[in-house]
Short mmCIF file of all heavy atoms in Angstrom, two decimals:
data_model
loop_
_atom_site.label_atom_id
_atom_site.label_comp_id
_atom_site.label_asym_id
_atom_site.label_seq_id
_atom_site.Cartn_x
_atom_site.Cartn_y
_atom_site.Cartn_z
N PRO A 101 -12.75 -88.62 -94.09
CA PRO A 101 -12.10 -87.42 -94.60
C PRO A 101 -10.73 -87.13 -94.01
O PRO A 101 -9.97 -86.33 -94.55
CB PRO A 101 -13.08 -86.32 -94.23
CG PRO A 101 -13.77 -86.84 -93.00
CD PRO A 101 -13.88 -88.33 -93.19
N HIS A 102 -10.41 -87.74 -92.86
CA HIS A 102 -9.14 -87.41 -92.21
C HIS A 102 -8.09 -88.48 -92.50
O HIS A 102 -8.39 -89.67 -92.48
CB HIS A 102 -9.33 -87.26 -90.71
CG HIS A 102 -10.18 -86.09 -90.35
ND1 HIS A 102 -9.80 -84.80 -90.56
CD2 HIS A 102 -11.43 -86.04 -89.83
CE1 HIS A 102 -10.76 -83.98 -90.17
NE2 HIS A 102 -11.77 -84.71 -89.73
N PRO A 103 -6.84 -88.09 -92.77
CA PRO A 103 -5.79 -89.06 -93.06
C PRO A 103 -5.36 -89.81 -91.82
O PRO A 103 -5.64 -89.43 -90.70
CB PRO A 103 -4.65 -88.18 -93.59
CG PRO A 103 -4.86 -86.87 -92.92
CD PRO A 103 -6.36 -86.71 -92.82
N ALA A 104 -4.67 -90.90 -92.04
CA ALA A 104 -4.11 -91.67 -90.93
C ALA A 104 -3.01 -90.87 -90.24
O ALA A 104 -2.48 -89.91 -90.78
CB ALA A 104 -3.57 -93.00 -91.44
N ASP A 105 -2.64 -91.27 -89.00
CA ASP A 105 -1.65 -90.53 -88.22
C ASP A 105 -0.34 -90.37 -88.96
O ASP A 105 0.36 -89.37 -88.83
CB ASP A 105 -1.41 -91.24 -86.88
CG ASP A 105 -2.56 -90.98 -85.90
OD1 ASP A 105 -3.40 -90.12 -86.19
OD2 ASP A 105 -2.57 -91.65 -84.87
N GLY A 106 0.07 -91.38 -89.70
CA GLY A 106 1.36 -91.31 -90.38
C GLY A 106 1.36 -90.47 -91.62
O GLY A 106 2.39 -90.32 -92.26
N ASP A 107 0.23 -89.92 -92.00
CA ASP A 107 0.11 -89.15 -93.23
C ASP A 107 0.09 -87.67 -92.86
O ASP A 107 -0.91 -87.17 -92.34
CB ASP A 107 -1.18 -89.55 -93.96
CG ASP A 107 -1.19 -89.04 -95.40
OD1 ASP A 107 -0.20 -88.43 -95.82
OD2 ASP A 107 -2.21 -89.25 -96.07
N HIS A 108 1.19 -86.98 -93.10
CA HIS A 108 1.30 -85.59 -92.69
C HIS A 108 2.30 -84.87 -93.60
O HIS A 108 2.98 -85.49 -94.41
CB HIS A 108 1.76 -85.49 -91.23
CG HIS A 108 3.14 -86.02 -91.00
ND1 HIS A 108 3.43 -87.37 -90.90
CD2 HIS A 108 4.34 -85.39 -90.88
CE1 HIS A 108 4.72 -87.54 -90.72
NE2 HIS A 108 5.30 -86.35 -90.72
N ASP A 109 2.40 -83.57 -93.43
CA ASP A 109 3.33 -82.77 -94.22
C ASP A 109 4.60 -82.50 -93.42
O ASP A 109 4.59 -82.49 -92.18
CB ASP A 109 2.66 -81.46 -94.65
CG ASP A 109 1.51 -81.71 -95.63
OD1 ASP A 109 1.66 -82.61 -96.47
OD2 ASP A 109 0.49 -81.02 -95.53
N TRP A 110 5.70 -82.26 -94.12
CA TRP A 110 6.99 -82.11 -93.45
C TRP A 110 7.92 -81.21 -94.26
O TRP A 110 7.75 -81.04 -95.47
CB TRP A 110 7.66 -83.47 -93.22
CG TRP A 110 7.75 -84.31 -94.46
CD1 TRP A 110 6.87 -85.27 -94.88
CD2 TRP A 110 8.77 -84.23 -95.48
NE1 TRP A 110 7.27 -85.81 -96.07
CE2 TRP A 110 8.43 -85.20 -96.47
CE3 TRP A 110 9.92 -83.46 -95.64
CZ2 TRP A 110 9.21 -85.39 -97.61
CZ3 TRP A 110 10.70 -83.66 -96.78
CH2 TRP A 110 10.35 -84.61 -97.75
N ALA A 111 8.91 -80.68 -93.56
CA ALA A 111 9.97 -79.89 -94.20
C ALA A 111 11.27 -80.18 -93.48
O ALA A 111 11.32 -80.21 -92.24
CB ALA A 111 9.65 -78.40 -94.14
N ILE A 112 12.34 -80.38 -94.25
CA ILE A 112 13.68 -80.62 -93.68
C ILE A 112 14.50 -79.35 -93.79
O ILE A 112 14.60 -78.76 -94.87
CB ILE A 112 14.39 -81.78 -94.40
CG1 ILE A 112 13.63 -83.09 -94.18
CG2 ILE A 112 15.83 -81.91 -93.91
CD1 ILE A 112 14.25 -84.28 -94.90
N VAL A 113 15.10 -78.94 -92.68
CA VAL A 113 15.89 -77.71 -92.62
C VAL A 113 17.34 -78.06 -92.32
O VAL A 113 17.64 -78.79 -91.36
CB VAL A 113 15.35 -76.77 -91.52
CG1 VAL A 113 16.27 -75.55 -91.36
CG2 VAL A 113 13.93 -76.34 -91.84
N ARG A 114 18.25 -77.57 -93.17
CA ARG A 114 19.69 -77.64 -92.88
C ARG A 114 20.03 -76.50 -91.94
O ARG A 114 19.80 -75.33 -92.24
CB ARG A 114 20.49 -77.49 -94.17
CG ARG A 114 22.01 -77.50 -93.97
CD ARG A 114 22.74 -77.05 -95.23
NE ARG A 114 22.44 -75.65 -95.56
CZ ARG A 114 21.77 -75.26 -96.63
NH1 ARG A 114 21.31 -76.13 -97.49
NH2 ARG A 114 21.55 -73.97 -96.84
N LEU A 115 20.56 -76.81 -90.78
CA LEU A 115 20.93 -75.76 -89.83
C LEU A 115 22.09 -74.94 -90.38
O LEU A 115 22.99 -75.48 -91.03
CB LEU A 115 21.31 -76.37 -88.48
CG LEU A 115 20.20 -77.15 -87.78
CD1 LEU A 115 20.71 -77.72 -86.46
CD2 LEU A 115 18.96 -76.29 -87.54
N GLY A 116 22.07 -73.64 -90.12
CA GLY A 116 23.14 -72.78 -90.59
C GLY A 116 24.44 -73.06 -89.86
O GLY A 116 25.53 -72.86 -90.41
N ALA A 117 24.33 -73.51 -88.62
CA ALA A 117 25.50 -73.90 -87.82
C ALA A 117 25.09 -75.12 -87.01
O ALA A 117 24.07 -75.10 -86.32
CB ALA A 117 25.94 -72.76 -86.90
N ALA A 118 25.88 -76.17 -87.10
CA ALA A 118 25.57 -77.39 -86.34
C ALA A 118 25.80 -77.13 -84.86
O ALA A 118 26.70 -76.39 -84.47
CB ALA A 118 26.45 -78.53 -86.82
N GLY A 119 24.97 -77.75 -84.03
CA GLY A 119 25.14 -77.53 -82.61
C GLY A 119 24.15 -78.33 -81.78
O GLY A 119 23.35 -79.11 -82.29
N ALA A 120 24.23 -78.12 -80.46
CA ALA A 120 23.33 -78.76 -79.51
C ALA A 120 22.07 -77.91 -79.39
O ALA A 120 22.14 -76.73 -79.03
CB ALA A 120 24.02 -78.90 -78.15
N ILE A 121 20.94 -78.49 -79.68
CA ILE A 121 19.67 -77.77 -79.69
C ILE A 121 19.12 -77.70 -78.27
O ILE A 121 18.97 -78.73 -77.60
CB ILE A 121 18.67 -78.45 -80.63
CG1 ILE A 121 19.20 -78.46 -82.06
CG2 ILE A 121 17.30 -77.76 -80.58
CD1 ILE A 121 18.40 -79.30 -83.02
N ARG A 122 18.82 -76.50 -77.81
CA ARG A 122 18.29 -76.30 -76.46
C ARG A 122 16.82 -75.91 -76.44
O ARG A 122 16.18 -75.99 -75.38
CB ARG A 122 19.10 -75.22 -75.73
CG ARG A 122 20.58 -75.53 -75.62
CD ARG A 122 20.83 -76.86 -74.96
NE ARG A 122 22.26 -77.14 -74.78
CZ ARG A 122 22.76 -78.31 -74.42
NH1 ARG A 122 21.96 -79.33 -74.22
NH2 ARG A 122 24.07 -78.47 -74.28
N GLY A 123 16.28 -75.51 -77.58
CA GLY A 123 14.87 -75.16 -77.61
C GLY A 123 14.40 -74.85 -79.02
O GLY A 123 15.20 -74.46 -79.88
N VAL A 124 13.12 -75.05 -79.26
CA VAL A 124 12.52 -74.85 -80.57
C VAL A 124 11.27 -74.00 -80.42
O VAL A 124 10.51 -74.15 -79.45
CB VAL A 124 12.16 -76.21 -81.23
CG1 VAL A 124 11.39 -76.01 -82.52
CG2 VAL A 124 13.41 -77.03 -81.48
N ILE A 125 11.05 -73.10 -81.38
CA ILE A 125 9.82 -72.32 -81.44
C ILE A 125 9.09 -72.67 -82.73
O ILE A 125 9.66 -72.55 -83.82
CB ILE A 125 10.08 -70.81 -81.37
CG1 ILE A 125 10.75 -70.44 -80.05
CG2 ILE A 125 8.78 -70.03 -81.54
CD1 ILE A 125 11.14 -68.98 -79.95
N VAL A 126 7.85 -73.11 -82.60
CA VAL A 126 6.97 -73.35 -83.74
C VAL A 126 5.88 -72.30 -83.66
O VAL A 126 5.03 -72.33 -82.78
CB VAL A 126 6.37 -74.77 -83.70
CG1 VAL A 126 5.42 -74.98 -84.88
CG2 VAL A 126 7.48 -75.82 -83.71
N ASP A 127 5.93 -71.35 -84.59
CA ASP A 127 5.09 -70.16 -84.53
C ASP A 127 4.01 -70.23 -85.60
O ASP A 127 4.31 -70.29 -86.79
CB ASP A 127 5.97 -68.91 -84.73
CG ASP A 127 5.20 -67.62 -84.50
OD1 ASP A 127 4.00 -67.66 -84.23
OD2 ASP A 127 5.84 -66.55 -84.60
N THR A 128 2.74 -70.22 -85.17
CA THR A 128 1.62 -70.24 -86.11
C THR A 128 1.02 -68.86 -86.30
O THR A 128 -0.17 -68.72 -86.59
CB THR A 128 0.52 -71.21 -85.62
OG1 THR A 128 0.09 -70.80 -84.31
CG2 THR A 128 1.03 -72.64 -85.56
N ALA A 129 1.83 -67.82 -86.17
CA ALA A 129 1.34 -66.44 -86.28
C ALA A 129 0.48 -66.25 -87.52
O ALA A 129 0.89 -66.61 -88.64
CB ALA A 129 2.52 -65.47 -86.31
N HIS A 130 -0.72 -65.69 -87.32
CA HIS A 130 -1.68 -65.33 -88.37
C HIS A 130 -2.34 -66.54 -89.04
O HIS A 130 -3.21 -66.34 -89.90
CB HIS A 130 -1.02 -64.44 -89.44
CG HIS A 130 -0.31 -63.26 -88.87
ND1 HIS A 130 -0.94 -62.33 -88.10
CD2 HIS A 130 1.01 -62.88 -88.94
CE1 HIS A 130 -0.07 -61.40 -87.73
NE2 HIS A 130 1.12 -61.73 -88.22
N PHE A 131 -1.97 -67.74 -88.63
CA PHE A 131 -2.71 -68.92 -89.08
C PHE A 131 -3.74 -69.26 -88.00
O PHE A 131 -3.37 -69.64 -86.89
CB PHE A 131 -1.77 -70.11 -89.30
CG PHE A 131 -0.90 -69.98 -90.52
CD1 PHE A 131 0.39 -69.47 -90.44
CD2 PHE A 131 -1.38 -70.35 -91.77
CE1 PHE A 131 1.18 -69.35 -91.56
CE2 PHE A 131 -0.58 -70.23 -92.91
CZ PHE A 131 0.69 -69.73 -92.81
N THR A 132 -5.00 -69.08 -88.31
CA THR A 132 -6.05 -69.29 -87.30
C THR A 132 -6.96 -70.47 -87.68
O THR A 132 -6.99 -71.48 -87.00
CB THR A 132 -6.87 -68.02 -87.10
OG1 THR A 132 -7.34 -67.54 -88.36
CG2 THR A 132 -6.01 -66.93 -86.45
N GLY A 133 -7.67 -70.36 -88.81
CA GLY A 133 -8.51 -71.46 -89.23
C GLY A 133 -7.78 -72.45 -90.11
O GLY A 133 -8.40 -73.39 -90.63
N ASN A 134 -6.49 -72.28 -90.27
CA ASN A 134 -5.73 -73.15 -91.16
C ASN A 134 -4.41 -73.62 -90.55
O ASN A 134 -3.49 -74.01 -91.27
CB ASN A 134 -5.46 -72.44 -92.49
CG ASN A 134 -4.84 -71.06 -92.31
OD1 ASN A 134 -4.69 -70.58 -91.18
ND2 ASN A 134 -4.46 -70.42 -93.40
N HIS A 135 -4.30 -73.58 -89.22
CA HIS A 135 -3.09 -74.08 -88.57
C HIS A 135 -3.21 -75.60 -88.38
O HIS A 135 -4.31 -76.15 -88.38
CB HIS A 135 -2.88 -73.40 -87.22
CG HIS A 135 -4.00 -73.63 -86.24
ND1 HIS A 135 -5.20 -72.95 -86.31
CD2 HIS A 135 -4.11 -74.49 -85.20
CE1 HIS A 135 -6.00 -73.36 -85.35
NE2 HIS A 135 -5.37 -74.30 -84.65
N PRO A 136 -2.07 -76.30 -88.23
CA PRO A 136 -2.13 -77.75 -88.02
C PRO A 136 -2.73 -78.09 -86.66
O PRO A 136 -2.70 -77.29 -85.72
CB PRO A 136 -0.66 -78.18 -88.08
CG PRO A 136 0.09 -77.02 -88.63
CD PRO A 136 -0.69 -75.81 -88.28
N GLU A 137 -3.23 -79.31 -86.56
CA GLU A 137 -3.71 -79.78 -85.27
C GLU A 137 -2.54 -80.00 -84.31
O GLU A 137 -2.66 -79.77 -83.11
CB GLU A 137 -4.48 -81.09 -85.43
CG GLU A 137 -5.82 -80.94 -86.15
CD GLU A 137 -6.55 -82.28 -86.26
OE1 GLU A 137 -5.91 -83.33 -86.01
OE2 GLU A 137 -7.74 -82.26 -86.59
N SER A 138 -1.41 -80.47 -84.86
CA SER A 138 -0.25 -80.76 -84.02
C SER A 138 1.01 -80.72 -84.87
O SER A 138 0.95 -80.64 -86.10
CB SER A 138 -0.39 -82.14 -83.35
OG SER A 138 -0.56 -83.15 -84.32
N ALA A 139 2.16 -80.76 -84.20
CA ALA A 139 3.44 -80.73 -84.90
C ALA A 139 4.47 -81.51 -84.10
O ALA A 139 4.32 -81.73 -82.89
CB ALA A 139 3.91 -79.30 -85.11
N SER A 140 5.53 -81.92 -84.78
CA SER A 140 6.66 -82.57 -84.13
C SER A 140 7.94 -82.06 -84.77
O SER A 140 7.93 -81.52 -85.87
CB SER A 140 6.58 -84.10 -84.28
OG SER A 140 6.75 -84.47 -85.64
N VAL A 141 9.06 -82.24 -84.06
CA VAL A 141 10.37 -81.86 -84.60
C VAL A 141 11.33 -83.01 -84.35
O VAL A 141 11.44 -83.52 -83.23
CB VAL A 141 10.91 -80.57 -83.96
CG1 VAL A 141 12.24 -80.18 -84.60
CG2 VAL A 141 9.91 -79.42 -84.09
N GLU A 142 12.03 -83.41 -85.40
CA GLU A 142 13.07 -84.42 -85.31
C GLU A 142 14.41 -83.80 -85.70
O GLU A 142 14.44 -82.76 -86.35
CB GLU A 142 12.76 -85.59 -86.25
CG GLU A 142 11.44 -86.29 -85.97
CD GLU A 142 11.03 -87.17 -87.13
OE1 GLU A 142 10.56 -86.62 -88.15
OE2 GLU A 142 11.21 -88.41 -87.02
N ALA A 143 15.49 -84.44 -85.30
CA ALA A 143 16.82 -83.92 -85.61
C ALA A 143 17.73 -85.07 -86.05
O ALA A 143 17.53 -86.23 -85.66
CB ALA A 143 17.42 -83.22 -84.40
N ALA A 144 18.71 -84.72 -86.87
CA ALA A 144 19.67 -85.72 -87.36
C ALA A 144 21.03 -85.06 -87.51
O ALA A 144 21.14 -83.84 -87.68
CB ALA A 144 19.22 -86.30 -88.70
N SER A 145 22.07 -85.88 -87.45
CA SER A 145 23.43 -85.42 -87.69
C SER A 145 23.95 -86.14 -88.92
O SER A 145 24.16 -87.36 -88.90
CB SER A 145 24.33 -85.71 -86.49
OG SER A 145 25.66 -85.29 -86.75
#
Side-chain angles (χ1 to χ4, degrees):
H102 294 293
D105 284 349
D107 194 3
H108 65 281
D109 294 322
W110 52 266
I112 296 178
V113 175
R114 178 192 65 247
L115 299 179
I121 299 171
R122 302 305 183 191
V124 173
I125 298 176
V126 178
D127 187 358
T128 58
H130 309 302
F131 287 95
T132 53
N134 52 354
H135 61 282
E137 291 181 346
S138 57
S140 67
V141 183
E142 300 165 284
S145 178

